[in-house]
Amino acid sequence: MPRMTVNERPVEFALDPATPLLWALRDAANLTGTKYGCGVGDCGACMVMVDGAALRSCLVTIGEAEGRNVVTIEGLSRDRSHPVQQALVAEQAIQCGFCTPGIAIAAAALLARNFAPGEEEIKAAIPNLCRCGVYPRLVRAIERAGRVARREELIAAAPAPGIGVEDAARAVPALGRTESRR
Ligand code: FES
Ligand code: FES
C-alpha cells in the first residue's frame, strides 16, 4: 500500500501499486482537479508536481510515487492566490478550463526554477495541449505570473472556490479507500 505526501498530507493508498497516480488521486482521493485527458502521456491534462517536477500522473504509478511529495492543483494554493492562478484568470487564458489545472502545475514548476522565463522558455516548459487554443494568452499569463512572483506587479486573488476540499471529499464514498493521517 504505497504511502506518499499529497498536498502536505501523509496518505496511504489501499490500492495496487501499479495503479496510475492519476486514478488514485481522482477516484480514491477525490482530487478531481487533475484531469484525465488522453491517458497515454500526450495531453498534459493530468500533470501534478512530484518532488517539484511537473509529471504526467497517467504515466506514474502510485508504486513509483511511494515516499514522494505530490502537489495537485488543489494544493497549489488553498485560496487560488498562486501567481499562476491569478495571472491565468487576469489574462483570461481559460476557455473551457479542462487543460487549465495541468497547465497551472507546469507553469508553477517552471516559475519555481525560473522567475523570469521568456516566451521560448515558456513554450518549451508547457507542452500541454489545449483544444480551445489559449496558447497566445497563456504565454502572456505566465510572463505576468513571473512579474507577480518577482513582486513587480500585484493582481487580486482569483475568486474563491464555492466548496472546500474537505467538504468535497466528505461527499464521495470512494475516499474511504484512502487513509489520511495528519
Ligand atoms: S491524461 Fe495524462 S498526458 Fe493526457
Ligand atoms: S481551455 Fe479548453 S482545453 Fe484549454
Side-chain angles (χ1 to χ4, degrees), residues 1-42:
M1 288 195 253
R3 299 178 181 180
M4 64 199 74
T5 301
V6 178
N7 297 340
E8 300 184 355
R9 294 184 183 186
V11 167
E12 180 176 349
F13 285 112
L15 297 169
D16 186 323
T19 304
L21 178 59
L22 172 61
W23 297 5
L25 293 172
R26 287 185 55 85
D27 295 345
N30 195 32
L31 293 168
T32 54
T34 304
K35 300 306 181 198
Y36 183 3
C38 64
V40 293
D42 285 337

Side-chain angles (χ1 to χ4, degrees), residues 161-177:
I163 184 169
V165 175
E166 287 79 9
D167 293 337
R170 266 195 292 275
V172 176
L175 193 65
R177 295 201 300 268

Side-chain angles (χ1 to χ4, degrees), residues 94-100 129-134:
I94 302 165
Q95 290 190 38
C96 78
F98 193 84
C99 68
T100 307
L129 301 181
C130 171
R131 61 192 170 189
C132 301
V134 299

Side-chain angles (χ1 to χ4, degrees), residues 22 35-47 56-59:
L22 172 61
K35 300 306 181 198
Y36 183 3
C38 64
V40 293
D42 285 337
C43 71
C46 64
M47 277 189 171
R56 293 161 171 84
S57 61
C58 67
L59 298 183

Side-chain angles (χ1 to χ4, degrees), residues 137-154:
R137 292 183 179 193
L138 193 58
V139 171
R140 288 202 298 272
I142 296 170
E143 288 174 336
R144 191 168 178 184
R147 293 196 295 277
V148 173
R150 299 194 301 274
R151 300 181 187 275
E152 295 172 4
E153 181 179 341
L154 279 176

Side-chain angles (χ1 to χ4, degrees), residues 24-90:
L25 293 172
R26 287 185 55 85
D27 295 345
N30 195 32
L31 293 168
T32 54
T34 304
K35 300 306 181 198
Y36 183 3
C38 64
V40 293
D42 285 337
C43 71
C46 64
M47 277 189 171
V48 299
M49 263 194 254
V50 180
D51 290 344
L55 300 184
R56 293 161 171 84
S57 61
C58 67
L59 298 183
V60 178
T61 67
I62 55 174
E64 292 167 334
E66 171 111 42
R68 303 179 78 176
N69 184 31
V70 177
V71 178
T72 71
I73 188 67
E74 291 90 346
L76 201 55
S77 73
R78 292 283 169 159
D79 57 359
R80 302 185 185 182
S81 61
H82 190 286
V84 168
Q85 293 170 305
Q86 293 178 338
L88 285 171
V89 173

